[in-house]
């Protein structure tokens, strides 16, 4: 996360064309990696989906570090949301949306990015948007993979099946992301660690009670909002 600290402190803003090119290159690498894993490693569709899920979320770091304008992120979110809605009726994104159950996760994923960019770019505190999106992408993504591969201890809530291994992964990853991002901006303090514990538990709870993919909306928005409010409350 050292690079995160360095980039977040830079005042030089790259040209808009370079900003968009950086995002396009990263997304291309993510899609190429997903295609390669699917084509040559013969990985199942869930792994490919999570590569896209996690990799796409990291775009928020580029948006933060490169000072990409809010309008660009909001516009991209609206377009992506529209495409994903259409994909539920037409085979536009079959590999991403085919999860074997009713889910609007891809749509909520796109929507959450736009909402957080609009919110925290306006407040000039984009790190909270990054915090929420990365908890969703890395926390939820790794929790699903660990739960499916190694989840031996199952529990059921609101008709959904979860595993304690997956939930523990969600909590740990959420804590690490929250603490690292807050430390990069606020420095190392007991307040950062305390906030990170609360946010990690809340994010895990939101992921646990999710249905039809709504955790892709509640987890990032809830995590970012909670971290923001707790920081303001503790700092007075």
């Amino acid at each position: 996360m050292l690079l995160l600290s360095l980039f977040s402190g830079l005042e030089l803003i790259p040209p808009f064309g370079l900003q968009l090119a950086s995002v396009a290159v990263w997304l291309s690498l993510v899609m190429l990696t997903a295609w390669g894993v699917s084509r040559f490693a013969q990985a199942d569709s869930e792994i490919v989906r999570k590569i896209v899920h996690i990799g796409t979320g990291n775009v928020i770091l580029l948006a933060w570090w490169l000072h990409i304008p809010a309008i660009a992120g909001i516009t991209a979110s609206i377009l992506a949301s529209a495409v994903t809605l259409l994909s539920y009726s037409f085979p536009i994104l079959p590999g991403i949306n085919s999860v074997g159950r009713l889910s609007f996760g891809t749509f909520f994923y796109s929507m959450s990015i736009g909402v957080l960019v609009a919110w925290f770019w306006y407040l000039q505190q984009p790190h909270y948007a990054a915090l929420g999106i990365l908890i969703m992408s890395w926390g939820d993504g790794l929790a699903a993979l660990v739960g499916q591969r190694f989840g031996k201890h199952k529990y059921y809530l609101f008709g959904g099946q979860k595993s304690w291994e997956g939930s523990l992964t969600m909590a740990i990853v959420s804590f690490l992301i929250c603490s690292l991002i807050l430390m990069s901006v606020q420095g190392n303090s007991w307040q950062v660690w305390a906030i990170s514990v609360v946010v990690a538990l809340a994010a895990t709870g939101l992921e646990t009670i999710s249905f039809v993919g709504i955790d892709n909306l509640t987890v990032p928005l809830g995590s970012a909002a909670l971290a923001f409010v707790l920081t303001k409350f503790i700092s007075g």
Side-chain angles (χ1 to χ4, degrees), residues 146-186:
V146 170
Q148 291 171 11
R149 296 283 174 171
F150 308 105
K152 303 299 183 182
H153 303 87
K154 308 291 185 181
Y155 64 94
Y156 298 86
L157 194 63
F158 298 110
Q161 177 180 284
K162 300 288 183 178
S163 72
W164 288 109
E165 291 85 354
S167 294
L168 179 60
T169 300
M170 178 71 183
I172 293 174
V173 174
S174 298
F175 173 78
L176 291 174
I177 289 173
C178 186
S179 58
L180 289 172
I181 288 182
L182 291 183
M183 278 195 296
S184 74
V185 176
Q186 303 173 16

Side-chain angles (χ1 to χ4, degrees), residues 39-99:
R39 178 70 173 79
F40 299 106
Q42 300 297 314
D44 61 50
S45 60
E46 184 63 19
I47 293 179
V48 175
R49 286 183 64 253
K50 292 310 177 184
I51 290 175
V52 176
H53 180 90
I54 294 172
T56 302
N58 290 326
V59 167
I60 196 67
L61 289 176
L62 293 178
W64 172 19
W65 294 342
L66 300 178
H67 304 278
I68 292 177
I71 187 61
I74 296 170
T75 300
S77 171
I78 293 173
L79 293 175
S81 298
V83 170
T84 54
L85 280 179
L86 288 173
S87 72
Y88 293 116
S89 299
F90 305 97
I92 300 175
L93 303 171
I96 295 177
N97 286 329
S98 57
V99 295

Side-chain angles (χ1 to χ4, degrees), residues 157-232:
L157 194 63
F158 298 110
Q161 177 180 284
K162 300 288 183 178
S163 72
W164 288 109
E165 291 85 354
S167 294
L168 179 60
T169 300
M170 178 71 183
I172 293 174
V173 174
S174 298
F175 173 78
L176 291 174
I177 289 173
C178 186
S179 58
L180 289 172
I181 288 182
L182 291 183
M183 278 195 296
S184 74
V185 176
Q186 303 173 16
N188 190 4
S189 65
W190 70 266
Q191 292 94 333
V192 166
W193 295 107
I195 291 171
S196 298
V197 169
V198 175
V199 170
L201 293 175
T204 303
L206 289 171
E207 193 275 336
T208 299
I209 61 175
S210 66
F211 55 94
V212 298
I214 200 172
D215 54 321
N216 281 348
L217 184 66
T218 58
V219 168
L221 267 62
S223 300
L226 184 58
F228 175 72
V229 170
L230 288 177
T231 299
K232 295 301 179 183

